[in-house]
Amino acid sequence: MPLTSQPIDTSIYTTITAAIRSEASRLFTAGEVVAIIGYAAARRVGSAQPIIITNAADAEKLIFTHACVNNLAVYLTKAKKEIPKTGKIGVVVKGCDLKALVGLMGESQLKREDLYLIGIPCNGVLGSTVQPATALTTESIASKCCDCNSHLPTGCDFVPNVALPPGLQMESRYSVEIARLEALTPAERWAYWKEQFAKCIKCYACRQVCPFCFCEQCLCDRNKPQMVDTTPRPAGNTAWHIVRAMHLAGRCAGCAECERVCPMDIPLNLLNRKMAKELKELYDYEAGFEVNDKGPLTMFTEKDDQSFIK
Amino acid sequence: MSRIGVFICHCGENISRTVDVERVAQEVGRLPGVAFSTDYKYMCSDPGQTLVKKAIQEQKLSHVVVAACSPRMHEKTFRKAVEAAGLNPFLCEMANIREHCSWVHENREEATVKAIDIVGMMVERVKKNRILPTITVPVTKRALVIGGGIAGIQAALDIADCGHEVILVEREPSIGGHMAQLSETFPTLDCSQCIMTPKMVDVANHPKIKLYTYSEIELVEGYIGNFQVTIKKKARSVDEDKCTGCGVCMTKCPQKKIPNKFDQNIGMRTAIYVPFPQAVPNTPVIDRDNCTWFKTGKCGVCQKVCGPGAIDFEQQDTLIVEAVGAIVVSTGFDLYTIAEKPKGSPIKGYGEFGHGKIPDVIDGMTFERLASASGPTGGKILRPSDGKEPKQIVFIQCVGSRAREKGISYCSKVCCMYTAKHTMLYHHKVHDGQAYVFFMDARTPGKSYDEFWRRSIEEEEAVYIRGMVSRLYQKGDKIVVMGSDISVGVQVEIEADMVVLATAIQPQKGADALAQKLGISYDKYHFYSEAHAKLRPVECATAGIYLAGACQGPKDIPETVSQASAAAAKVMALFSRNQMEREPIVARVREAGCVGCFACKKVCAYGAVEEKEIRDRQGNLIKVVAYVNPGVCAGCGTCQATCPSKSVELDGYTDEQIIAMIEAL
Amino acid sequence: MHPENQKHDFEPKIIAFVCTWCTYAGADLAGTSRMQYPANVRVLKFPCTGRIDPVFILKAFQQGADGVLVSGCHPGDCHYIAGNYHARRRFAAFRKLLEFIGVDLGRLAFSWVSAAEGGKWVEVVTDLTEKVRAMGPMVEFKALALEEQWSGAIDTPELQEAYDAI
């Protein structure tokens, strides 16, 4: 029996938009930042897109709506071509995006003192922006927002002062799906993922959008030796997705951008959430809450579980 | 294009018995890149090596695969041969078709197919091998010796006599170890103290030896030639610089009834004490657990009577860091706890022998203290229970040793000889007494050893009974010993006044913890493992660390001294050069690919990864990348497996080499 | 009777990734002690389990391995201080991932075998070989490798027609 779709209150986003505009304007006027990465309205009604502004006059372009789905952290690492090289950068972050920034700081990719964080009290964004004018409901909301534990980002330099409307109880779509798959036999799971990976066209959009895929030379592009088959064939696709999930284990905090941008609708974040769940169970580690010197797979304790080792 | 030479060894018949070596040579010869392949009876022999060298030159080989025994056995041999023929030694690999193939499979067809696979994998691997230049590292010409028993003393003196500085660390308040506890020594019956104490004094007076007693190893960092060792000097509560060793404090200390470990707890000592009169250094220690001042805050008599004002109740443990180039481990042994099963140990006790319950059942070391002229009885053999002279004494050998069902399968090696010695000492001191010995075999392979053993029977009238004791119990003031004499097949029952157990030799407690600090391996009993049982018996697998004495396995004094001198010779060989060559199996960073996430740095246990700034010509920072210090890197490769972009690579075990092997399957 | 003297319909390919200091030496000891075990295993030597990349396991399965063994020094005994501890976490995570993808974990074994445990090496290798033999060949990755089709299902008549026309 499917739940009936319930509307989600996004009225605070208007107040937030006003607040980030005035803060942006103040920052440029005071000379505190040289650029701000945020969201602006795009051409289609209701849609939004990332924007980099460098002066107070452009502050008016900034918005925040439930169509502001992108994780802007990626503009601070590999997509930073248009970002000034020196000076403090302001960045608009939702709670989920902030986790990525926290992870990147732990991996020496960013320094906190180089950033001015404009945190967004967020009540959820759309799962798909194919129809950006859609209202936010318990059905149209992104899967990652269903069990969000960071509506209010902490440790930011500026957070608009708004009261978050009481959250709606939604079932965690990932947990349900992980549990469903875990209950299957290995052969059934293999069949499931085989079908999913068969769809892959190796466009690498998932890699491109991921804030943690910041390697300049991806292991999967190497040909001497060829560690992973690069052709868009089932064997290579499967290998790519396994390697990708392994490399993100303990680092991915679940912004789900990979899944959003996948043109073939492969449930990529499902793999990431599964790994996060395992690392939480094994080592009580959750990515993205504090800047950690070491992640779960770059540290150990002598008492770590070894029940699987003979 | 590679021109690989493959050399298949028969190893006499060790390999050729189960592996069709000619077929292996033929099939491997057809692999792409293989220019030459042959088989020979003994590839490691001189003619075998000449065969390899000649082929390299005549066939203009670019790489070599030797299919023979384990690389742990002969990799060095063949790399040396290849180097002599003008190739870089790291262009030679070994395929293990003996330990991993011919010795473990009986089916000739299966073994041959497997051998072809193994060699094929190595052929693919060697194609990806690169020329690796030897790395040289500086050598700190100072040695650390851990443990100040006879082994440590001998090693320290030998190294110091060659002019190199030695740091000698001893856990107890005095050096001397177990040898200082012994009464007389076999096979000459000279007094142990008489030959030991001069060496102890030599150590104390040697200008090149720095002695830390009452100290332990806290941390070992670094690598051969360049170790950093942190030593914890426990608080002695006595200022070593001020103390003159007059001993007034000890005579005045009111706590006089503390069992002295040095006397196997049958003699007593004070709370401020030296373990024995000839202790080196002759500086007392306050045993804080038993000192009235530390327990109640009152007393302080020692402080009042100490003329030079050396007593320091406030003294703290201190940490000292010493830089050394080589380490000799000589931590010695301990005796088997036979009373009961030690906690968590797979080794069982001998509850049936009443040790610990019946006061007159003692172990061999306690007998040594009774027989020692400087011991608690002044050298008289007296029973601990009532101080009477025992007229019937029973010695039981192999208590613990060679008892697989109890958990120890090895022979403790010295018990046969010291029991023979004990019967003699007993006979010399108790003329009307009778000694009985229960034994399984008499093992006396040493110079003058068998003669000594026979003397105990033929001249000193000891009665040897071949058989084991099944049970003993107290009956009045006697101990009834029941056993069997298997040579005549009768049950024996002896009413003894005292029983001496020749308990097994075990490594020191905490031997495993020290091994983990040092990064050396040990066997299931926690004896330290040598790099090779026959050919490298004094070196550890970890470069720069050497073994001396019973920490490696049960040994008598001459053997211990020989090994200590051998270890010293190894250290001196290392110190004979200002820098040494090391295997170039180290990690290297591909800076172009590195994005500076420093996952490698996080997992490196050696701190070998540093941060390096890359700047353009104007001096602007382009990026920060990882840099691996080749002197510090130990070559484990954990960094490479952790690096997401594989921008750090372990030479000798590159992804290319490993993938080539997997692809060869 | 030695298992290797029996005839089997299926001989699994077993790849063992081992560290040189403990397990490789343990396997050497099995040889010096003339112990016997199935000839299915092919050993790849690494300095340390810390060097073993999960990608190698993946690659081994893709190259036709029916079972994979990873073995190194017991905790606390690592020649390189902590490589095995890092490996332990890495593989704890990786096996969970493989399991989720649908790889039967019966094909992937982990063990600590010290230089003194020749007997344990024999046991570990024999167990894995027999287990995998009973499971049959690892067909999943091999089947993938054989599939030439470009990604995406050809699930409409138009696509099928277009595909046939190529």
Side-chain angles (χ1 to χ4, degrees), chain B residues 480-559:
Chain B
V480 181
V481 181
M482 300 167 76
S484 52
D485 185 340
I486 59 165
S487 55
V488 283
V490 293
Q491 290 298 310
V492 191
E493 196 175 302
I494 298 166
E495 289 204 351
D497 298 308
M498 189 152 104
V499 174
V500 182
L501 308 175
T503 51
I505 278 186
Q506 285 190 293
Q508 278 285 354
K509 285 181 192 69
D512 49 342
L514 179 65
Q516 289 171 11
K517 284 178 193 165
L518 289 162
I520 61 176
S521 48
Y522 47 88
D523 67 12
K524 65 175 174 176
Y525 303 109
H526 297 178
F527 285 118
Y528 297 143
S529 307
E530 60 284 345
H532 189 285
K534 284 150 280 180
L535 304 177
R536 295 173 68 197
V538 305
E539 296 144 278
C540 283
T542 308
I545 302 185
Y546 308 92
L547 298 172
C551 61
Q552 183 223 9
K555 275 182 194 64
D556 60 23
I557 296 167
E559 245 189 303

Side-chain angles (χ1 to χ4, degrees), chain B residues 254-274:
Chain B
Q255 289 284 357
K256 294 190 192 300
K257 292 274 175 216
I258 303 161
N260 190 359
K261 191 174 139 197
F262 183 82
D263 282 332
Q264 296 293 101
N265 299 332
I266 50 172
M268 298 298 161
R269 62 163 170 83
T270 46
I272 183 165
Y273 73 105
V274 290

Side-chain angles (χ1 to χ4, degrees), chain A residues 279-293:
Chain A
L279 291 171
K280 168 84 178 151
E281 279 169 18
L282 281 165
Y283 311 120
D284 197 25
Y285 186 93
E286 258 182 282
F289 283 100
E290 52 191 322
V291 179
N292 286 311
D293 184 32

Side-chain angles (χ1 to χ4, degrees), chain A residues 189 198 200 296 304 306 310, chain C residues 89 99 110 112 127 147 151-152:
Chain A
R189 277 198 298 274
C200 179
D304 284 342
Q306 55 173 13
K310 204 165 159 185
Chain C
R89 280 207 168 192
E99 184 185 34
F110 299 88
W112 306 131
D127 282 0
E147 281 182 39
S151 319

Side-chain angles (χ1 to χ4, degrees), chain B residues 368-379:
Chain B
E368 295 285 344
R369 293 313 298 149
L370 289 175
S372 170
S374 63
T377 57

Side-chain angles (χ1 to χ4, degrees), chain B residues 42 49 57 81 172 177 332 353 384 395-396 432 521 540 562 598 623:
Chain B
Y42 288 106
Q49 291 188 45
Q57 276 148 0
E172 299 296 325
F353 284 177
F395 294 89
I396 306 174
D432 55 345
S521 48
C540 283
S562 314
F598 296 108
K623 62 176 180 176

Side-chain angles (χ1 to χ4, degrees), chain A residues 178 181-182 186-187 189-190 193-194 197-201 219 226-228 232-239 242-243 245-247 249 264 270-271 274-275 278-279 282-283 295-306 308-310, chain C residues 53-56 58-59 62 70 74-75 81-82 85-105 109-113 120 123-124 127 138 140-141 143-153:
Chain A
I178 288 171
L181 287 171
E182 283 173 347
R189 277 198 298 274
W190 180 265
W193 285 110
K194 188 177 168 187
F197 295 152
K199 297 191 288 189
C200 179
I201 52 172
L219 166 71
Q226 193 180 68
M227 302 275 276
V228 180
R233 281 164 36 188
N237 294 347
T238 305
I242 291 174
V243 171
M246 190 61 202
H247 279 194
M264 305 309 290
L270 196 58
L271 287 173
K274 164 71 178 176
M275 293 312 284
E278 292 299 338
L279 291 171
L282 281 165
Y283 311 120
L297 297 184
T298 49
M299 60 172 288
F300 66 88
T301 70
E302 283 169 22
K303 298 255 171 295
D304 284 342
D305 173 59
Q306 55 173 13
F308 66 99
I309 305 173
K310 204 165 159 185
Chain C
D53 198 312
V55 176
F56 299 151
L58 191 60
K59 192 85 186 172
Q62 288 182 323
V70 178
H74 286 268
I81 307 171
Y85 286 127
H86 286 294
R88 184 166 66 182
R89 280 207 168 192
R90 190 186 300 148
F91 294 121
F94 187 60
R95 64 191 284 283
K96 287 286 180 190
L97 176 59
L98 285 185
E99 184 185 34
F100 193 59
I101 296 283
V103 174
D104 194 323
L105 289 186
F110 299 88
S111 63
W112 306 131
V113 173
K120 188 171 174 190
E123 187 190 314
V124 162
D127 282 0
M138 170 77 161
E140 286 85 352
F141 282 101
L144 279 188
L146 292 176
E147 281 182 39
E148 281 292 336
Q149 136 220 1
W150 72 274
S151 319

